[in-house]
Amino acid sequence: MSLMFASPVVTPTVGAFTFSSRRSNYIVMSAVRSNSTSLCPVLTKFQKDCATPTPYLREVANAIADDMRAGLAVEGGGDLDMILSYVDALPSGNEEGLFYALDLGGTNFRVRSVQLGGEKERVVATESEQISIPHKLMIGTSEELFGFIATKLASFVAKEKPGRFRLEQGKERELGFTFSFPVKQTSIDSGTLIKWTKGFNVSGMEGKNVVACLNEAMAVHGLDMRVSALVNDGVGTLAGAKYWDEDVMVGVILGTGTNACYVEQKRVIPKLQSKSSSGTTIINTEWGGFSKILPRTIFDREMDEKSLNPGEHLYEKMISGMYLGEIVRRVLLQMCETTDLFGPFVPVKLSTPFALRTEHLCKIQEDKTDDLQIVGSVLYDILEVEASLEARRRVVEVCDTVIKRGGRLAGAGIVALLQKIEKDTKRMGSGKRTVVAMDGALYEKYPQYREYMQDALVELLGHKLASYVAIKHTKDVSGLGAALLAATNSIY
Ligand code: BGC
């Protein structure tokens, strides 16, 4: 998610203000000077329906924790898949050699090479490239998608500088494949796609081994490389962050989609059919699938019905970046239809699904000017409406309501994980620092969302326990994590 538009140059005048937008100069009459937003039943009801007071949030955290336990007991036991990642051994720091990472999970994919130098030197060299995925490939065939990826991967390898990156003679290149969709792992280097999320819908792939798809495409393109580890981005984030900080116990993604992975004690995983029940493993919760007691409004329901995966990933649809702008758009549309929010007509752009994106909400909430000039320019640029000051205030309220609900619900999810970890390890109770490694553009770029999330964490955990928890922003660390897991699971 990138913040894409520059602030307009503002020249205030008396009773009205002029500003230049990217498209034109225009005047907005700001006759309304009152600070109070007059009654708007749609907004009032929406705010009421989205409320997340502490006792209710606690119930949400408990319900998530219950589903975590149910999912650990038996496959499909609860809303959360609680996927066994087969990552039992986390990187030790001693890894050496050249490894690659491929990160597929959004509108871009990223390839990375990492030269590891062992305990002392750690990451000797690393290089990466981000490639955007044409939208038609996100809803095309698996051959098209993986063929495209293999071609780009091959040209990345071809550009490699031999001085910086050294592949030992006789060894095949090894890759950690971060595939950020729900996958039923069958081993560390194989797994079948359960379902697509985040607007992907590549045909015929559900139930297929995603590693086989990539290996085949690499072979077709003559690329001498094999997948040694298949990891979720949450798992990659946890592994990459733990490489630098031993206290990392949780990896959370708050971006286009959302997920959380954590270090679990094998002895408390009844569905683990392995003889050894000692030690730890990483669980990929796929918490986006949580669906119980959520404060869903008519707008959430309608957005879900129109989505590519109706009825699924309902928690994700309330807390992650792909959906928050769209919820706001739907609320504003109904406000326009029932009041003269932006004048007598409903703006055409407001009827376009996903016209308003989360990055626009962020820009709107950043506005600290008295007469909300930036809000005005966003509304003009994106929705082509000239909004009165009162209308701009209402828009801010809608954004804040959606962001507050999202941030607080995300906080409740993190608390559910922390409490589960605490119950089995008593680490915070004994004063041990516990780190949540966090990645994703929503968390990174939306300060209000972050604050609401943090507030919920403290409210639910209490100040004492919360003081042992550190939320650490670990940007783009999942690629390193995947390369490290390729090293840990190397066939050589
Ligand atoms: C997927 C997860 C992924 C998350 C963040 C969700 O839609 O189901 O597997 O980790 O997005 O990328």
Side-chain angles (χ1 to χ4, degrees):
M1 227 179 359
S2 57
L3 300 176
M4 282 170 40
F5 48 90
S7 308
V9 180
V10 179
T11 323
T13 61
V14 182
F17 66 84
T18 317
F19 59 90
S20 55
S21 76
R22 281 186 313 191
R23 224 172 293 126
S24 62
N25 284 346
Y26 59 95
I27 296 181
V28 176
M29 297 307 296
S30 51
V32 187
R33 288 283 173 221
S34 131
N35 272 326
S36 70
T37 53
S38 58
L39 236 82
C40 173
V42 174
L43 176 56
T44 312
K45 177 163 180 358
F46 182 64
Q47 286 172 322
K48 191 164 153 269
D49 292 347
C50 287
T52 51
T54 317
Y56 168 72
L57 215 51
R58 182 158 290 124
E59 281 178 41
V60 173
N62 290 341
I64 295 177
D66 284 348
D67 267 6
M68 287 175 68
R69 273 184 283 274
L72 288 178
V74 25
E75 275 325 331
D79 286 348
L80 277 65
D81 289 326
M82 303 300 282
I83 296 166
L84 304 170
S85 67
Y86 291 84
V87 175
D88 296 353
L90 279 158
S92 63
N94 294 323
E95 295 74 14
E96 281 186 66
L98 173 59
F99 294 91
Y100 296 83
L102 167 68
D103 204 329
L104 173 67
T107 44
N108 295 309
F109 73 90
R110 191 188 287 262
V111 290
R112 179 178 288 282
S113 49
V114 187
Q115 185 75 47
L116 296 167
E119 182 67 45
K120 284 221 176 69
E121 292 181 82
R122 296 271 169 152
V123 177
V124 180
T126 182
E127 221 149 79
S128 74
E129 194 176 317
Q130 185 161 302
I131 296 134
S132 85
I133 304 177
H135 183 255
K136 65 176 196 318
L137 294 187
M138 292 164 62
I139 50 173
T141 66
S142 69
E143 289 76 16
E144 285 165 348
L145 177 66
F146 284 97
F148 177 76
I149 292 171
T151 321
K152 299 291 176 188
L153 199 53
S155 66
F156 176 77
V157 170
K159 282 186 273 182
E160 199 166 85
K161 298 186 190 75
R164 271 163 65 79
F165 299 97
R166 298 171 307 276
L167 183 71
E168 271 180 54
Q169 264 204 342
K171 280 191 179 176
E172 197 180 359
R173 294 174 200 275
E174 289 185 281
L175 174 79
F177 180 20
T178 307
F179 186 74
S180 308
F181 300 95
V183 160
K184 171 146 181 39
Q185 294 233 193
T186 38
S187 68
I188 184 63
D189 60 359
S190 66
T192 55
L193 176 68
I194 300 173
K195 61 192 170 205
W196 288 110
T197 56
K198 297 178 286 195
F200 271 72
N201 200 7
V202 177
S203 61
M205 268 206 70
E206 288 177 13
K208 264 199 187 171
N209 181 353
V210 294
V211 172
C213 293
L214 180 58
N215 278 337
E216 273 162 32
M218 291 194 300
V220 168
H221 288 83
L223 186 57
D224 185 24
M225 192 181 271
R226 69 177 299 276
V227 176
S228 293
L230 171 66
V231 296
N232 179 269
D233 51 350
V235 176
T237 298
L238 202 166
K242 215 172 170 63
Y243 184 65
W244 303 111
D245 184 343
E246 252 308 296
D247 292 336
V248 173
M249 295 296 284
V250 182
V252 172
I253 309 291
L254 285 167
T256 307
T258 183
N259 199 3
C261 302
Y262 71 106
V263 180
E264 183 58 289
Q265 310 297 313
K266 284 187 178 173
R267 65 184 155 81
V268 301
I269 312 179
K271 74 176 176 186
L272 188 62
Q273 284 157 359
S274 116
K275 301 225 167 19
S276 128
S277 61
S278 63
T280 59
T281 188
I282 295 185
I283 297 290
N284 166 14
T285 68
E286 284 296 337
W287 76 2
F290 180 67
S291 70
K292 303 193 177 81
I293 71 163
L294 289 170
R296 291 179 80 215
T297 65
I298 176 79
F299 307 103
D300 298 291
R301 287 177 209 284
E302 287 174 356
M303 178 182 71
D304 174 45
E305 277 162 24
K306 293 267 178 299
S307 70
L308 285 175
N309 54 347
E312 282 170 7
H313 264 48
L314 301 184
Y315 182 58
E316 170 160 289
K317 286 173 183 155
M318 295 175 94
I319 73 168
S320 82
M322 178 160 171
Y323 304 99
L324 303 182
E326 174 62 3
I327 300 170
V328 169
R329 183 194 70 82
R330 285 172 176 273
V331 180
L332 294 181
L333 181 59
Q334 197 175 99
M335 285 166 70
C336 269
E337 285 164 353
T338 51
T339 65
D340 58 351
L341 182 68
F342 298 134
F345 305 107
V346 175
V348 177
K349 281 279 170 71
L350 196 54
S351 305
T352 312
F354 291 91
L356 202 59
R357 295 197 303 268
T358 303
E359 69 206 51
H360 302 135
L361 313 193
C362 180
K363 198 88 191 151
I364 285 173
Q365 288 207 266
E366 258 172 20
D367 191 351
K368 298 284 175 281
T369 62
D370 285 345
D371 42 9
L372 301 177
Q373 295 157 10
I374 299 170
V375 178
S377 77
V378 172
L379 294 173
Y380 186 84
D381 287 346
I382 307 305
L383 301 178
E384 296 176 359
V385 294
E386 297 189 1
S388 68
L389 181 58
E390 174 151 352
R392 280 175 262 150
R393 287 204 181 106
R394 285 188 178 163
V395 170
V396 174
E397 282 197 64
V398 177
C399 294
D400 191 57
T401 306
V402 171
I403 292 303
K404 183 172 184 176
R405 184 186 67 168
R408 287 176 66 80
L409 286 174
I414 297 174
V415 168
L417 262 78
L418 288 173
Q419 283 177 338
K420 172 87 179 65
I421 292 172
E422 186 58 7
K423 188 162 179 291
D424 300 321
T425 64
K426 308 276 179 295
R427 47 181 293 138
M428 287 178 276
S430 57
K432 206 157 177 4
R433 176 174 168 268
T434 299
V435 177
V436 176
M438 179 74 76
D439 201 4
L442 178 59
Y443 178 83
E444 181 188 349
K445 297 189 174 156
Y446 214 133
Q448 289 84 356
Y449 185 96
R450 278 201 302 270
E451 279 159 27
Y452 284 131
M453 195 195 84
Q454 188 72 38
D455 288 349
L457 225 88
V458 177
E459 279 169 39
L460 297 183
L461 282 180
H463 283 279
K464 184 145 187 285
L465 274 197
S467 69
Y468 298 120
V469 177
I471 308 269
K472 211 165 158 183
H473 181 215
T474 49
K475 191 174 161 64
D476 292 341
V477 88
S478 75
L480 169 65
L484 285 164
L485 289 170
T488 316
N489 294 285
S490 166
I491 52 164
Y492 299 104

PDB file of all heavy atoms in Angstrom, residues 180-182 197-198 232-233 253 257-259 286 313 316, ligand 1:
ATOM      1  N   SER A 180       1.626 -16.654   0.773  1.00  0.00           N
ATOM      2  CA  SER A 180       0.822 -16.063   1.850  1.00  0.00           C
ATOM      3  C   SER A 180      -0.675 -16.267   1.668  1.00  0.00           C
ATOM      4  O   SER A 180      -1.454 -15.303   1.576  1.00  0.00           O
ATOM      5  CB  SER A 180       1.164 -14.583   1.953  1.00  0.00           C
ATOM      6  OG  SER A 180       2.551 -14.449   2.057  1.00  0.00           O
ATOM      7  N   PHE A 181      -1.040 -17.522   1.598  1.00  0.00           N
ATOM      8  CA  PHE A 181      -2.448 -17.922   1.513  1.00  0.00           C
ATOM      9  C   PHE A 181      -2.603 -19.171   2.382  1.00  0.00           C
ATOM     10  O   PHE A 181      -1.597 -19.834   2.678  1.00  0.00           O
ATOM     11  CB  PHE A 181      -2.820 -18.236   0.050  1.00  0.00           C
ATOM     12  CG  PHE A 181      -2.635 -17.051  -0.864  1.00  0.00           C
ATOM     13  CD1 PHE A 181      -1.458 -16.902  -1.586  1.00  0.00           C
ATOM     14  CD2 PHE A 181      -3.613 -16.076  -0.959  1.00  0.00           C
ATOM     15  CE1 PHE A 181      -1.269 -15.793  -2.402  1.00  0.00           C
ATOM     16  CE2 PHE A 181      -3.428 -14.967  -1.769  1.00  0.00           C
ATOM     17  CZ  PHE A 181      -2.258 -14.827  -2.497  1.00  0.00           C
ATOM     18  N   PRO A 182      -3.827 -19.502   2.746  1.00  0.00           N
ATOM     19  CA  PRO A 182      -3.982 -20.692   3.593  1.00  0.00           C
ATOM     20  C   PRO A 182      -3.583 -21.969   2.840  1.00  0.00           C
ATOM     21  O   PRO A 182      -4.144 -22.265   1.783  1.00  0.00           O
ATOM     22  CB  PRO A 182      -5.484 -20.712   3.916  1.00  0.00           C
ATOM     23  CG  PRO A 182      -5.987 -19.340   3.599  1.00  0.00           C
ATOM     24  CD  PRO A 182      -5.118 -18.818   2.513  1.00  0.00           C
ATOM     25  N   THR A 197      -7.382 -16.033  -0.969  1.00  0.00           N
ATOM     26  CA  THR A 197      -7.909 -14.854  -0.246  1.00  0.00           C
ATOM     27  C   THR A 197      -7.389 -13.612  -0.978  1.00  0.00           C
ATOM     28  O   THR A 197      -6.736 -13.739  -2.015  1.00  0.00           O
ATOM     29  CB  THR A 197      -7.404 -14.828   1.227  1.00  0.00           C
ATOM     30  OG1 THR A 197      -5.968 -14.861   1.215  1.00  0.00           O
ATOM     31  CG2 THR A 197      -7.928 -16.005   2.042  1.00  0.00           C
ATOM     32  N   LYS A 198      -7.678 -12.440  -0.450  1.00  0.00           N
ATOM     33  CA  LYS A 198      -7.124 -11.156  -0.908  1.00  0.00           C
ATOM     34  C   LYS A 198      -7.299 -10.883  -2.403  1.00  0.00           C
ATOM     35  O   LYS A 198      -6.419 -10.315  -3.047  1.00  0.00           O
ATOM     36  CB  LYS A 198      -5.633 -11.081  -0.551  1.00  0.00           C
ATOM     37  CG  LYS A 198      -5.335 -11.115   0.933  1.00  0.00           C
ATOM     38  CD  LYS A 198      -3.880 -11.093   1.250  1.00  0.00           C
ATOM     39  CE  LYS A 198      -3.203 -12.413   0.971  1.00  0.00           C
ATOM     40  NZ  LYS A 198      -1.879 -12.546   1.573  1.00  0.00           N
ATOM     41  N   ASN A 232       4.504 -19.615   5.286  1.00  0.00           N
ATOM     42  CA  ASN A 232       3.556 -18.508   5.260  1.00  0.00           C
ATOM     43  C   ASN A 232       4.329 -17.219   5.607  1.00  0.00           C
ATOM     44  O   ASN A 232       5.374 -17.266   6.264  1.00  0.00           O
ATOM     45  CB  ASN A 232       2.471 -18.796   6.308  1.00  0.00           C
ATOM     46  CG  ASN A 232       1.453 -17.683   6.362  1.00  0.00           C
ATOM     47  OD1 ASN A 232       1.590 -16.735   7.137  1.00  0.00           O
ATOM     48  ND2 ASN A 232       0.435 -17.782   5.533  1.00  0.00           N
ATOM     49  N   ASP A 233       3.796 -16.052   5.192  1.00  0.00           N
ATOM     50  CA  ASP A 233       4.520 -14.805   5.505  1.00  0.00           C
ATOM     51  C   ASP A 233       4.607 -14.537   7.013  1.00  0.00           C
ATOM     52  O   ASP A 233       5.602 -13.974   7.488  1.00  0.00           O
ATOM     53  CB  ASP A 233       3.945 -13.588   4.755  1.00  0.00           C
ATOM     54  CG  ASP A 233       2.437 -13.424   4.908  1.00  0.00           C
ATOM     55  OD1 ASP A 233       1.775 -14.342   5.429  1.00  0.00           O
ATOM     56  OD2 ASP A 233       1.916 -12.369   4.482  1.00  0.00           O
ATOM     57  N   ILE A 253       0.932 -10.261  10.645  1.00  0.00           N
ATOM     58  CA  ILE A 253       0.883  -9.473   9.414  1.00  0.00           C
ATOM     59  C   ILE A 253      -0.400  -8.647   9.439  1.00  0.00           C
ATOM     60  O   ILE A 253      -1.496  -9.195   9.597  1.00  0.00           O
ATOM     61  CB  ILE A 253       0.846 -10.380   8.152  1.00  0.00           C
ATOM     62  CG1 ILE A 253       1.968 -11.428   8.160  1.00  0.00           C
ATOM     63  CG2 ILE A 253       0.873  -9.533   6.882  1.00  0.00           C
ATOM     64  CD1 ILE A 253       3.366 -10.903   7.981  1.00  0.00           C
ATOM     65  N   GLY A 257      -3.847  -8.362   3.651  1.00  0.00           N
ATOM     66  CA  GLY A 257      -4.526  -9.397   4.434  1.00  0.00           C
ATOM     67  C   GLY A 257      -3.935  -9.419   5.826  1.00  0.00           C
ATOM     68  O   GLY A 257      -3.098  -8.583   6.178  1.00  0.00           O
ATOM     69  N   THR A 258      -4.367 -10.392   6.613  1.00  0.00           N
ATOM     70  CA  THR A 258      -3.828 -10.463   7.976  1.00  0.00           C
ATOM     71  C   THR A 258      -3.651 -11.908   8.417  1.00  0.00           C
ATOM     72  O   THR A 258      -4.332 -12.816   7.912  1.00  0.00           O
ATOM     73  CB  THR A 258      -4.749  -9.714   8.969  1.00  0.00           C
ATOM     74  OG1 THR A 258      -4.145  -9.759  10.265  1.00  0.00           O
ATOM     75  CG2 THR A 258      -6.134 -10.341   9.053  1.00  0.00           C
ATOM     76  N   ASN A 259      -2.734 -12.101   9.349  1.00  0.00           N
ATOM     77  CA  ASN A 259      -2.493 -13.436   9.893  1.00  0.00           C
ATOM     78  C   ASN A 259      -1.604 -13.326  11.126  1.00  0.00           C
ATOM     79  O   ASN A 259      -0.988 -12.274  11.360  1.00  0.00           O
ATOM     80  CB  ASN A 259      -1.800 -14.314   8.844  1.00  0.00           C
ATOM     81  CG  ASN A 259      -1.932 -15.797   9.138  1.00  0.00           C
ATOM     82  OD1 ASN A 259      -2.592 -16.206  10.088  1.00  0.00           O
ATOM     83  ND2 ASN A 259      -1.301 -16.624   8.320  1.00  0.00           N
ATOM     84  N   GLU A 286      -3.905 -18.697  10.783  1.00  0.00           N
ATOM     85  CA  GLU A 286      -4.887 -18.228   9.770  1.00  0.00           C
ATOM     86  C   GLU A 286      -6.072 -17.590  10.484  1.00  0.00           C
ATOM     87  O   GLU A 286      -7.231 -17.908  10.225  1.00  0.00           O
ATOM     88  CB  GLU A 286      -5.343 -19.387   8.862  1.00  0.00           C
ATOM     89  CG  GLU A 286      -4.335 -19.783   7.817  1.00  0.00           C
ATOM     90  CD  GLU A 286      -4.025 -18.698   6.764  1.00  0.00           C
ATOM     91  OE1 GLU A 286      -4.857 -17.802   6.545  1.00  0.00           O
ATOM     92  OE2 GLU A 286      -2.926 -18.762   6.185  1.00  0.00           O
ATOM     93  N   HIS A 313     -13.073 -15.723   5.824  1.00  0.00           N
ATOM     94  CA  HIS A 313     -12.117 -14.710   6.287  1.00  0.00           C
ATOM     95  C   HIS A 313     -12.827 -13.426   6.750  1.00  0.00           C
ATOM     96  O   HIS A 313     -12.477 -12.322   6.342  1.00  0.00           O
ATOM     97  CB  HIS A 313     -11.084 -14.438   5.193  1.00  0.00           C
ATOM     98  CG  HIS A 313      -9.822 -15.257   5.394  1.00  0.00           C
ATOM     99  ND1 HIS A 313      -9.860 -16.607   5.647  1.00  0.00           N
ATOM    100  CD2 HIS A 313      -8.506 -14.929   5.412  1.00  0.00           C
ATOM    101  CE1 HIS A 313      -8.642 -17.075   5.803  1.00  0.00           C
ATOM    102  NE2 HIS A 313      -7.792 -16.075   5.673  1.00  0.00           N
ATOM    103  N   GLU A 316     -10.616 -11.064   8.840  1.00  0.00           N
ATOM    104  CA  GLU A 316      -9.712 -10.362   7.919  1.00  0.00           C
ATOM    105  C   GLU A 316     -10.435  -9.192   7.255  1.00  0.00           C
ATOM    106  O   GLU A 316      -9.879  -8.105   7.085  1.00  0.00           O
ATOM    107  CB  GLU A 316      -9.195 -11.337   6.854  1.00  0.00           C
ATOM    108  CG  GLU A 316      -8.446 -10.656   5.712  1.00  0.00           C
ATOM    109  CD  GLU A 316      -7.535 -11.602   4.948  1.00  0.00           C
ATOM    110  OE1 GLU A 316      -6.500 -11.997   5.513  1.00  0.00           O
ATOM    111  OE2 GLU A 316      -7.849 -11.953   3.805  1.00  0.00           O
TER     112      GLU A 316
HETATM  113  C1  BGC B   1      -3.859 -15.291   4.177  1.00  0.00           C
HETATM  114  C2  BGC B   1      -2.697 -15.625   5.071  1.00  0.00           C
HETATM  115  C3  BGC B   1      -1.642 -14.550   4.994  1.00  0.00           C
HETATM  116  C4  BGC B   1      -2.257 -13.188   5.265  1.00  0.00           C
HETATM  117  C5  BGC B   1      -1.258 -12.047   5.211  1.00  0.00           C
HETATM  118  C6  BGC B   1      -4.346 -13.870   4.438  1.00  0.00           C
HETATM  119  O1  BGC B   1      -5.319 -13.528   3.493  1.00  0.00           O
HETATM  120  O2  BGC B   1      -4.918 -16.174   4.381  1.00  0.00           O
HETATM  121  O3  BGC B   1      -2.139 -16.863   4.735  1.00  0.00           O
HETATM  122  O4  BGC B   1      -0.627 -14.808   5.929  1.00  0.00           O
HETATM  123  O5  BGC B   1      -3.289 -12.941   4.318  1.00  0.00           O
HETATM  124  O6  BGC B   1      -0.616 -11.968   3.995  1.00  0.00           O
END
